[in-house]
Structures are given as C-alpha cells and as structure tokens.
Amino acid sequence: MNAQRIPILPRPLLAALMLGSLVLVGGARADQLAGTLGGEPQRWYVLSGEDGAQGTATFAVLGPGMARYSLQGHLERTFATRGSLSLNFTVMNGQLLGAPEVSYFPSDKLFPVYSNEGAGDLTIKALDNHGNQTQLRGRYQGMLVRLEGVGQAPNGSDTLTLDIEFDVGMTSR
C-alpha cells in the first residue's frame, strides 16, 4: 500500500479497549508508540504475548481483502488501563473503511475516556500482510474529547491533541 493521507469524518464512538503488539519507531524495532498527548512528549509500550498469550498489536481477517487492526499501548511494560491508548480501524482492499476509533484512558476505569469521536487523520504509510503476520506503519493526528459515560455528551471544553507514529509488527488473532 502506498502512503496516503486519509481524512476522517466525525461520528459517535463507544470507547472500547482492543488488543494490538510490537512497534517500530523511526526505522528501529521498539516496543512503543511515540508522539505527543496534550502537547507533551509521550510513549506507550506495546506488549507482546508471552507463553501463547495474545499481545497488544493484533489483526483479524474479516473476509477476502478485509481486516480489522487493533493497537494498544501502555504507560508501563505491563497490562493496565490507566494511561493506555487504543487505536482500532478496518481496511478493505487497501482502503480505510470508516473512521478509526482512538481512545485514551486516563484512569483505571473505562470512564472517563478521551475519544476521537471519529475525527482526526490516520495516515497509513505501509501495510504489508504475510500470512498471520502484518507490518503496519503510520501516523495518527487528531483531537480527543472527554466522555464521562455511555450516552453522555462529549465535554468539548476538555480536549487533548494526539500525534503519534507507529511501525508495528502485528499478529493474527
């Protein structure tokens, strides 16, 4: 897939924690996503599955030419909700299908959550599938808005900008 900038249109989002794996940043293999959150430098560790457990960078083939990708990063090298970042999207025949779902969880609970509400720009620079392994490289830039709970209106006065880059080895689930 060639590099392409994909504009995203706003739409409602239900926050969900999805699992995803290893990240490659700046051409060197790393176990993190890197960028800024609220203008501050931030990194999130992407966890690999040990002893047969699923890692935090995965994809699922939904049908011919269609797959769902899930990438999740954590502030520490352990599974925890507090401070985790989740990016999920679907690709069909090399094109983004709908808007990506991006969530940042500032506490140990699912709410409050910061959500992209279907807005922002996801740029897929490379998406190379090799059986049950995929290499994904890209960037997400957008604004996250605070949600207090399911069905509640977003708090437009409480937002965070997010700009992350990733180069991730993903495994099939």
Side-chain angles (χ1 to χ4, degrees):
M1 168 184 268
N2 293 331
Q4 59 183 338
R5 186 168 180 84
I6 304 171
I8 306 304
L9 300 174
R11 70 177 174 85
L13 165 71
L14 293 177
L17 234 36
M18 303 285 291
L19 295 179
S21 171
L22 289 179
V23 176
L24 299 168
V25 178
R29 194 163 194 103
D31 61 350
Q32 59 191 341
L33 296 119
T36 59
L37 176 66
E40 297 295 320
Q42 182 67 55
R43 78 177 77 190
W44 292 268
Y45 295 97
V46 180
L47 309 176
S48 60
E50 296 179 12
D51 300 323
Q54 184 172 309
T56 64
T58 62
F59 70 97
V61 175
L62 304 176
M66 187 175 184
R68 177 84 175 154
Y69 298 87
S70 297
L71 176 59
Q72 184 185 90
H74 297 272
L75 291 179
E76 303 293 330
R77 288 185 168 100
T78 60
F79 289 94
T81 303
R82 180 184 299 277
S84 65
L85 180 69
S86 177
L87 168 65
N88 304 283
F89 61 95
T90 302
V91 171
M92 184 170 182
N93 298 322
Q95 299 297 314
L96 188 65
L97 185 63
E101 298 168 357
V102 180
S103 301
Y104 170 69
F105 298 87
S107 74
D108 290 331
K109 299 176 182 171
L110 290 181
F111 289 98
V113 63
Y114 287 85
S115 168
N116 70 325
E117 289 288 283
D121 290 319
L122 175 61
T123 302
I124 299 173
K125 298 177 182 178
L127 184 57
D128 300 314
N129 292 312
H130 303 284
N132 67 346
Q133 300 291 314
T134 290
Q135 189 66 34
L136 170 66
R137 186 166 46 96
R139 181 178 189 180
Y140 175 82
Q141 297 171 289
M143 182 77 64
L144 305 180
V145 63
R146 185 179 175 107
L147 298 173
E148 294 296 331
V150 176
Q152 294 186 13
N155 182 348
S157 65
D158 190 351
T159 62
L160 296 169
T161 57
L162 178 65
D163 186 350
I164 57 168
E165 293 195 42
F166 47 90
D167 193 346
V168 185
M170 306 180 93
T171 57
S172 176
R173 54 182 149 125

